[in-house]
Amino acid sequence: MILTATGSTFFFAAVAQALRVPIEAWAIDLNLYLRFLAGVALLIVTAQVAYRVAAALTLAYGLDRNGFYIFWLGNRMVVPLGQIESVERSASVADRASLSQSLGYFYGGFKLPSGKIAQRFSTLPTKQAIMLQTSGQAYIISPNNTDTFVQELEQRQRIGVIQQLTPGVEAGRYFSYAFWDDQVVRQALVLAFSLSLILLGWLASIYPNLPALIDLRSNAAGEAGALSPRHQILFLPLAAFATLLFNTGLGITLYVRTPLGARMLQMASAMVQLLFAVAVLTIVR
């Protein structure tokens, strides 16, 4: 995380240094854009790693008469105590966690030979953790004291439950998981963000060859208006990106009350990127 954060800061500092001159003298080209893109990529990686580290630091287990619970970053996974069929060592389980699934702690699901899906919530590799088996799923965990945990679990199972729980994940409210987990929202955001980067990259590649003055105000009949400095064309992709950020924030706010409206906002963001790209193409053609 420190390495990626440092790398992101380095690239953004290089971009900021190049843009410290008056806007009319900005030396925008493909090389500067690639530095910006590298900074964005490393910033995304830094955010992902920071999230995983925070999740690892807040990873905890809970146990009462009714269920077993897994906590991380305000989320809670509920496993009804009556559904736990066995607790066993998972040393014999063949599991190859990818690098992204082992940052901070081991997470993600994989299929067992029995056909069940095993969910990792462990700070230890699978072979060193234990596995809770239910009729439909398995959970890979790593309590601090395995023997004590197993004894307490068995004791509570013998006493019996007093309330039936519904298995599943109760998402925390801090990260708007429902919004980010929506497939339509994710696809629309990826498309809009990709289009925004493509537009900015293409404009950066042709910017050095643009004339000092360009026509930004042609009317519907195609008649030219007053010429403007070429740097003003940069406002178009910036406005498109600002719209993307605004719609994303508004979508997060609205998703709980109207998921359809939030989805439509993100699809509108992708459409806006296309419209601004057409506008830029029309100006520089």
Side-chain angles (χ1 to χ4, degrees):
M1 183 175 67
I2 295 176
L3 289 176
T4 56
T6 302
S8 178
T9 302
F10 170 79
F11 285 114
F12 282 136
V15 173
Q17 181 66 27
L19 301 182
R20 290 182 63 181
V21 297
I23 190 170
E24 296 82 1
W26 279 3
I28 295 176
D29 54 18
L30 191 57
N31 181 54
L32 185 66
Y33 171 75
L34 291 177
R35 294 183 186 181
F36 167 77
L37 195 61
V40 171
L42 289 175
L43 183 63
I44 292 174
V45 173
T46 301
Q48 291 177 331
V49 175
Y51 175 87
R52 294 296 307 282
V53 170
L57 293 175
T58 57
L59 181 64
Y61 310 118
L63 191 64
D64 62 22
R65 286 192 60 178
N66 300 309
F68 169 70
Y69 311 96
I70 303 172
F71 305 94
W72 74 100
L73 285 178
N75 305 300
R76 185 176 78 156
M77 173 165 280
V78 179
V79 183
L81 206 62
Q83 294 186 13
I84 299 176
E85 298 176 345
S86 65
V87 182
E88 56 192 70
R89 300 284 180 177
S90 51
S92 60
V93 175
D95 169 30
R96 295 182 179 179
S98 64
L99 177 61
S100 63
Q101 293 177 325
S102 57
L103 289 173
Y105 71 105
F106 293 88
Y107 89 110
F110 65 97
K111 184 174 288 189
L112 297 172
S114 62
K116 294 180 182 179
I117 298 298
Q119 299 288 345
R120 307 181 193 87
F121 291 94
S122 170
T123 55
L124 297 175
T126 300
K127 293 185 179 297
Q128 301 175 27
I130 63 173
M131 181 167 56
L132 304 184
Q133 293 259 18
T134 68
S135 59
Q137 282 195 319
Y139 304 89
I140 309 296
I141 61 173
S142 55
N144 291 331
N145 191 316
T146 300
D147 293 335
T148 301
F149 171 80
V150 173
Q151 290 173 6
E152 185 175 354
L153 175 63
E154 292 175 345
Q155 181 180 4
R156 292 183 182 276
Q157 284 183 314
R158 285 194 295 268
I159 296 174
V161 301
I162 58 177
Q163 180 183 356
Q164 294 297 327
L165 302 177
T166 301
V169 177
E170 299 173 358
R173 53 183 179 143
Y174 303 109
F175 291 93
S176 304
Y177 290 100
F179 176 82
W180 300 109
D181 287 341
D182 189 295
Q183 186 175 3
V184 175
V185 167
R186 286 206 308 268
Q187 291 176 347
L189 283 175
V190 169
L191 177 60
F193 189 66
S194 299
L195 288 173
S196 180
L197 290 178
I198 291 171
L199 173 59
L200 189 58
W202 174 70
L203 188 55
S205 67
I206 66 171
Y207 191 81
N209 298 321
L210 291 178
L213 296 174
I214 58 178
D215 175 24
L216 293 177
R217 299 180 178 85
S218 295
N219 59 28
E223 299 172 349
L227 296 180
S228 304
R230 66 176 180 175
H231 68 263
Q232 291 189 11
I233 199 173
L234 298 174
F235 299 152
L236 295 177
L238 292 177
F241 187 70
T243 302
L244 170 59
L245 294 180
F246 177 81
N247 284 354
T248 301
L250 186 58
I252 292 174
T253 303
L254 294 177
Y255 190 86
V256 175
R257 288 175 290 176
T258 169
L260 179 60
R263 295 187 190 109
M264 292 182 66
L265 275 173
Q266 310 322 307
M267 290 187 284
S269 293
M271 184 61 67
V272 166
Q273 309 308 311
L274 284 174
L275 293 176
F276 273 93
V278 170
V280 173
L281 181 61
T282 301
I283 293 170
V284 301
R285 72 186 188 279

